[in-house]
């Protein structure tokens, strides 16, 4: 895990000052639709203390300043925390610190930290967590909340692979859908490889292009950047002791992304129309990301 965390820190270390501009500004490839969803949920919740886990350059926190919450945040990457403190100037800088979601005590590193929080957000972090730690992370978040506390956790949608018809689809068939061990036991390894190769021929396995780092650091697709199954994540929430667990989809795609150029400049407009209903069942396949939200019991 140490090596994996080091890779993640390396990847994000050069991103502190530009990350917000890349993903949240008017220059970003797609509007940050999740921000409005999150703001709506937080506004509907009673105030108190809010912790943003993996806060990055305060991409979220800067938009929470007008809410009824006292704000806290931590992140694995020191450069991100430095940028966060800059952006959140005016608030006590010790409310923002370096820490990992894997370490329970890292949730309470500020001298101003409360005993428990009333709300927490965790956006863009889960992709970097190895599968075996998923339940521990959800439990850590649950345990850091007061009863009635609200958790909003973002993940990349694994089921989107059934819509993209590219390398993700091939991987999903091979590693999640096909009964691999049964096929291998009945027909042998070579037959399994042949089946996968025939399935892969149905897909554009050369897409999407691998995202590289800006300089020598690893890029987003070169570090662990997993997707999650929304059904399984919901189960983790329930097992950890959350109630009223819901899945809200966002970043809908009007067509498989490889057809983006066919729709031209209308692509985003048509996709945005689907964002109106984050509970649309089509989100399971057509949305590349989702929020799982729950109330700590
Ligand atoms: C995709 S960025 C998202 C930043 C911000 N939450 C946002 O929504 O813009 C992911 C962030 O998660 C942080 N991160 C990755 N693994 C983490 C961990 N184990 N604990 C805390 N933060 C982590 C990275 O350093 C990075 O800043």
């Amino acid at each position: 895990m140490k090596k994996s965390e080091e890779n993640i820190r390396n990847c994000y270390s050069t991103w502190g000052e530009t990350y917000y501009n890349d993903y949240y500004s008017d220059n970003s490839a797609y509007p940050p639709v999740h921000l409005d969803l999150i703001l709506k949920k937080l506004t509907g919740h009673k105030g108190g203390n809010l912790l943003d886990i993996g806060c990055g350059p305060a991409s979220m926190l800067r938009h929470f300043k007008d809410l009824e919450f006292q704000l806290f945040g931590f992140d694995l990457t020191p450069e991100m925390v430095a940028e966060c403190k800059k952006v959140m100037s005016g608030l006590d800088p010790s409310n923002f610190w370096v820490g990992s979601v894997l370490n329970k005590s890292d949730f309470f590193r500020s001298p101003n930290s409360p005993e428990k929080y009333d709300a927490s957000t965790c956006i863009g972090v889960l992709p970097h967590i190895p599968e075996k730690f998923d339940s521990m992370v959800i439990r850590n978040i649950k345990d850091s909340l007061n009863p009635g506390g609200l958790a909003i956790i973002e993940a990349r949608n694994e089921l989107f692979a059934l819509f993209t018809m590219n390398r993700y689809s091939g991987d999903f068939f091979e590693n999640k859908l096909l009964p691999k061990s049964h096929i291998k036991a009945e027909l042998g390894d070579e037959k399994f490889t042949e089946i996968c190769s025939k399935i892969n021929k149905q897909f554009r396995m050369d897409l999407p292009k691998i995202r590289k780092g800006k300089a020598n650091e690893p890029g987003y697709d070169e570090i662990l950047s997993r997707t999650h199954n929304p059904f399984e994540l919901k189960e983790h929430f329930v097992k950890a002791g959350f109630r009223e667990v819901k899945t809200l989809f966002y970043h809908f795609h009007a067509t498989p992304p490889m057809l983006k150029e066919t729709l031209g400049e209308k692509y985003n407009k048509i996709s945005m129309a689907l964002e109106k209903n984050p509970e649309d069942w089509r989100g399971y396949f057509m949305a590349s990301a989702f929020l799982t939200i729950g109330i700590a019991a």
Side-chain angles (χ1 to χ4, degrees):
M1 193 56 211
K2 283 232 149 53
K3 184 77 201 148
S4 160
E5 287 197 336
E6 198 181 305
N7 276 341
I8 292 161
R9 262 191 227 107
N10 267 342
C11 167
Y12 284 106
S13 62
T14 54
W15 232 345
E17 288 173 12
T18 54
Y19 187 87
Y20 185 83
N21 193 45
D22 288 351
Y23 291 102
Y24 288 81
S25 72
D26 293 342
N27 305 327
S28 60
Y30 196 73
V33 281
H34 58 311
L35 184 56
D36 279 345
L37 283 178
I38 293 167
L39 283 171
K40 213 187 265 174
K41 285 289 159 201
L42 290 175
T43 311
H45 194 71
K46 65 177 172 50
N49 295 296
L50 180 149
L51 177 66
D52 188 20
I53 301 156
C55 58
S59 336
M60 289 284 136
L61 286 170
R62 67 182 82 189
H63 294 278
F64 296 168
K65 280 180 178 170
D66 293 334
L67 302 179
E68 302 280 307
F69 287 100
Q70 197 179 345
L71 302 175
F72 298 87
F74 70 85
D75 195 284
L76 188 69
T77 309
E79 290 81 355
M80 285 293 192
V81 176
E83 183 64 14
C84 174
K85 285 180 197 255
K86 232 194 276 172
V87 171
M88 300 302 281
S89 66
L91 295 186
D92 187 336
S94 70
N95 282 15
F96 313 104
W97 63 94
V98 175
S100 172
V101 69
L102 293 171
N103 187 355
K104 232 176 180 177
S105 50
D106 281 355
F107 284 57
F108 300 95
R109 290 263 179 243
S110 165
N112 306 320
S113 289
E115 244 172 63
K116 300 240 174 178
Y117 298 92
D118 302 292
S120 60
T121 48
C122 182
I123 313 300
V125 179
L126 229 48
H128 305 310
I129 302 299
E131 190 171 355
K132 63 177 173 195
F133 295 124
D134 273 352
S135 58
M136 187 180 99
V137 163
I138 308 300
R139 166 115 8 225
N140 283 354
I141 294 174
K142 151 73 177 56
D143 289 348
S144 71
L145 289 166
N146 281 315
L150 170 72
I152 305 178
I153 303 185
E154 182 265 357
R156 298 172 69 202
N157 182 10
E158 184 175 65
L159 304 182
F160 182 52
L162 288 172
F163 191 60
T164 55
M165 302 195 293
N166 59 13
R167 195 174 59 245
Y168 293 130
S169 321
D171 289 348
F172 191 64
F173 270 78
E174 178 173 345
N175 297 309
K176 295 292 163 107
L177 289 181
L178 296 177
K180 193 189 276 197
S181 57
H182 292 287
I183 294 177
K184 284 185 173 182
E186 296 292 335
L187 297 163
D189 288 9
E190 267 179 35
K191 190 54 102 184
F192 183 74
T193 308
E194 184 191 331
I195 290 167
C196 291
S197 142
K198 283 186 172 161
I199 288 176
N200 288 348
K201 286 206 175 83
Q202 313 304 314
F203 301 129
R204 282 288 305 271
M205 294 299 285
D206 57 322
L207 295 175
K209 297 224 158 23
I210 308 269
R211 286 166 282 188
K212 301 265 180 200
K214 289 179 204 289
N216 293 326
E217 81 285 7
Y220 188 84
D221 292 323
E222 294 170 310
I223 57 167
L224 178 68
S225 48
R226 292 168 54 217
T227 53
H228 284 77
N229 180 322
F231 295 109
E232 289 175 349
L233 197 55
K234 194 171 184 177
E235 266 176 45
H236 280 306
F237 263 62
V238 172
K239 277 196 192 131
F242 283 104
R243 57 181 168 83
E244 297 172 45
V245 182
K246 272 195 179 162
T247 307
L248 301 181
F249 292 101
Y250 72 93
H251 207 159
F252 280 81
H253 291 68
T255 65
M258 70 173 85
L259 297 180
K260 194 170 177 181
E261 276 176 16
T262 314
L263 277 75
E265 60 183 24
K266 296 289 182 198
Y267 190 85
N268 277 4
K269 188 178 176 202
I270 299 170
S271 301
M272 284 290 288
L274 293 164
E275 309 282 359
K276 287 205 176 86
N277 180 10
E279 293 183 71
D280 188 332
W281 66 267
R282 288 176 294 179
Y284 281 99
F285 308 102
M286 296 171 75
S288 57
F290 66 95
L291 303 171
T292 302
I293 61 174
I295 304 289

